[in-house]
């Protein structure tokens, strides 16, 4: 019994520290009004995406049994009008949120994961290894991210996996630079030298000491990257490089372009998905800035 209590004590203390940190984070986050607005909008979009199968149903994407006439203007029956196939645009925008948010989230996670690995290893090992990694990072930084993503999406099959991969592997350099700088700052602290003197290897130092200290930066960067990833997915889909079998906001804009909605003045075909993309990007940006300000108080002082 005593042994079990002793073993449980460190875990209990760790959970208590994490709980206190979460409470402290939320108290500071609540002081950012823009962050709260962004968080409320983000929760709303998440609920809309998760409940789309119940609210609009998957049959909204079908073209064979469309309920309306092609390119109908907004009405009481179709609040946002219909597309060129006669499908309800409101239902398509709601259903498209699932793909756009999912691709944005997964692409951002992939991008930040690559950047974190590159940044931590380059900051820890230094020497020739770090030099090579940083020169590769610099090459990706000077190259236009969108052009690289378009080139990668062009040579691969048109699917959601391709879009996620194209965005993720071309947008990691900024994260790598930030994480490397933070890793160098952490590695210069005395307790890192003590850990090495006590026999801590490279893996131990990077995972047990460096990674926890760079995680706040990684979290803030992930939130900001989702906004860029959503915009990148919409751009690729608008250019016809997305998955043609799924509905996304960028895909709706591409359909509107092909249908000649711009020249015909069918504004209801263009405005709703465009506004959705802009609002989601703004939402994640507000949340990311608030998280960044909470985790790095010096930013708030500087502003």
């Amino acid at each position: 019994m005593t042994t079990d209590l002793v073993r449980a004590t460190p875990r209990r203390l760790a959970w208590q520290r994490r709980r206190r940190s979460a409470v402290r984070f939320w108290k500071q986050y609540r002081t950012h009004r823009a962050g709260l607005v962004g968080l409320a909008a983000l929760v709303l979009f998440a609920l809309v995406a998760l409940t789309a199968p119940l609210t609009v149903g998957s049959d909204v994407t079908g073209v064979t049994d469309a309920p309306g006439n092609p390119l109908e203007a907004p009405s009481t029956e179709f609040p946002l009008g219909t597309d060129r196939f006669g499908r309800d645009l409101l239902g398509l925008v709601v259903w498209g949120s699932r793909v756009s948010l999912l691709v944005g989230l997964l692409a951002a996670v992939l991008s930040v994961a690559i950047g974190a690995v590159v940044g931590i290893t380059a900051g820890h090992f230094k020497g020739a290894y770090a030099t090579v990694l940083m020169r590769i990072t610099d090459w990706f930084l000077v190259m236009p991210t969108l052009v690289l993503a378009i080139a990668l999406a062009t040579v691969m099959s048109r699917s959601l996996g391709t879009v996620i991969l194209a965005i993720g592997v071309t947008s990691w350099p900024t994260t790598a630079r930030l994480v490397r700088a933070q890793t160098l700052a952490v590695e210069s602290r005395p307790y890192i030298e003590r850990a090495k003197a006590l026999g801590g290897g490279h893996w131990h130092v990077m995972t047990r000491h460096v990674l926890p200290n760079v995680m706040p930066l990684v979290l803030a960067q992930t939130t900001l990257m989702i906004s860029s990833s959503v915009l990148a997915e919409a751009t690729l889909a608008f250019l016809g490089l997305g998955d043609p079998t799924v509905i996304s906001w960028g895909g709706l804009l591409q359909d509107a372009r092909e249908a000649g909605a711009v020249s015909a003045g069918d504004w209801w075909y263009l405005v709703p998905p465009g506004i959705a993309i802009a609002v989601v990007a703004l939402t994640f940006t507000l949340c990311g800035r608030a998280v960044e300000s909470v985790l790095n108080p010096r930013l708030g002082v500087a502003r």
Side-chain angles (χ1 to χ4, degrees):
M1 180 69 67
T2 304
T3 305
D4 293 337
L5 290 176
V6 172
R7 290 179 179 176
T9 299
R11 296 181 182 179
R12 188 180 300 112
L13 292 176
W15 278 109
Q16 289 177 354
R17 287 196 298 269
R18 293 170 185 172
R19 186 164 53 250
R20 287 196 297 268
S21 298
V23 171
R24 185 166 57 251
F25 172 84
W26 175 242
K27 287 182 178 179
Q28 296 177 5
Y29 187 92
R30 287 188 302 176
T31 61
H32 298 269
R33 294 183 179 179
L36 288 177
V37 173
L39 181 61
L42 177 59
V43 172
L44 178 61
F45 273 105
L47 290 176
V48 168
L50 291 175
T51 59
L54 300 177
T55 56
V56 299
S58 59
D59 56 344
V60 71
T61 62
V63 297
T64 57
D65 54 351
N69 297 319
L71 298 177
E72 283 190 38
S75 61
T76 55
E77 184 179 3
F78 303 108
L80 297 183
T82 62
D83 69 347
R84 58 175 176 168
F85 301 110
R87 297 176 296 182
D88 182 15
L89 268 176
L90 177 59
L92 292 177
V93 170
V94 171
W95 190 263
S97 64
R98 296 169 60 85
V99 174
S100 295
L101 293 178
L102 178 63
V103 172
L105 176 61
L106 294 181
V109 170
L110 176 61
S111 172
V112 173
I114 296 174
V117 171
V118 172
I120 291 175
T121 56
H124 176 77
F125 290 105
K126 305 179 180 66
Y129 174 81
T131 301
V132 172
L133 279 184
M134 287 300 99
R135 296 297 76 78
I136 295 175
T137 303
D138 292 339
W139 183 84
F140 273 96
L141 277 174
V142 298
M143 292 293 293
T145 301
L146 182 59
V147 173
L148 290 177
I150 292 174
L152 188 58
T154 302
V155 300
M156 299 178 66
S157 61
R158 295 174 61 184
S159 64
L160 290 182
T162 297
V163 174
I164 294 171
L165 185 65
I167 298 173
V169 301
T170 57
S171 57
W172 56 266
T174 302
T175 303
R177 277 289 183 183
L178 293 174
V179 172
R180 179 177 180 268
Q182 184 68 13
T183 300
L184 291 174
V186 173
E187 293 261 357
S188 64
R189 296 173 183 173
Y191 70 86
I192 297 294
E193 294 297 329
R194 290 196 294 267
K196 294 178 180 178
L198 292 173
H202 297 299
W203 180 256
H204 174 83
V205 172
M206 287 189 295
T207 57
R208 299 297 297 273
H209 298 291
V210 176
L211 183 59
N213 283 280
V214 302
M215 277 304 296
L217 176 63
V218 170
L219 176 62
Q221 191 65 16
T222 301
T223 309
L224 294 172
M225 278 300 303
I226 295 177
S227 174
S228 301
S229 299
V230 170
L231 292 174
E233 184 278 331
T235 302
L236 292 177
F238 178 74
L239 294 175
L241 299 175
D243 190 343
T245 63
V246 299
I247 300 297
S248 68
W249 293 333
L252 291 176
L253 291 177
Q254 198 261 349
D255 288 341
R257 179 179 61 85
E258 290 185 347
V262 177
S263 58
D266 299 331
W267 58 267
W268 62 88
Y269 207 164
L270 297 165
V271 173
I275 291 179
I277 294 170
V279 172
V280 166
L282 177 61
T283 294
F284 279 106
T285 300
L286 292 177
C287 291
R289 293 303 181 189
V291 171
E292 190 178 28
S293 180
V294 171
L295 298 178
N296 189 358
R298 289 178 296 180
L299 294 177
V301 175
R303 292 171 185 172

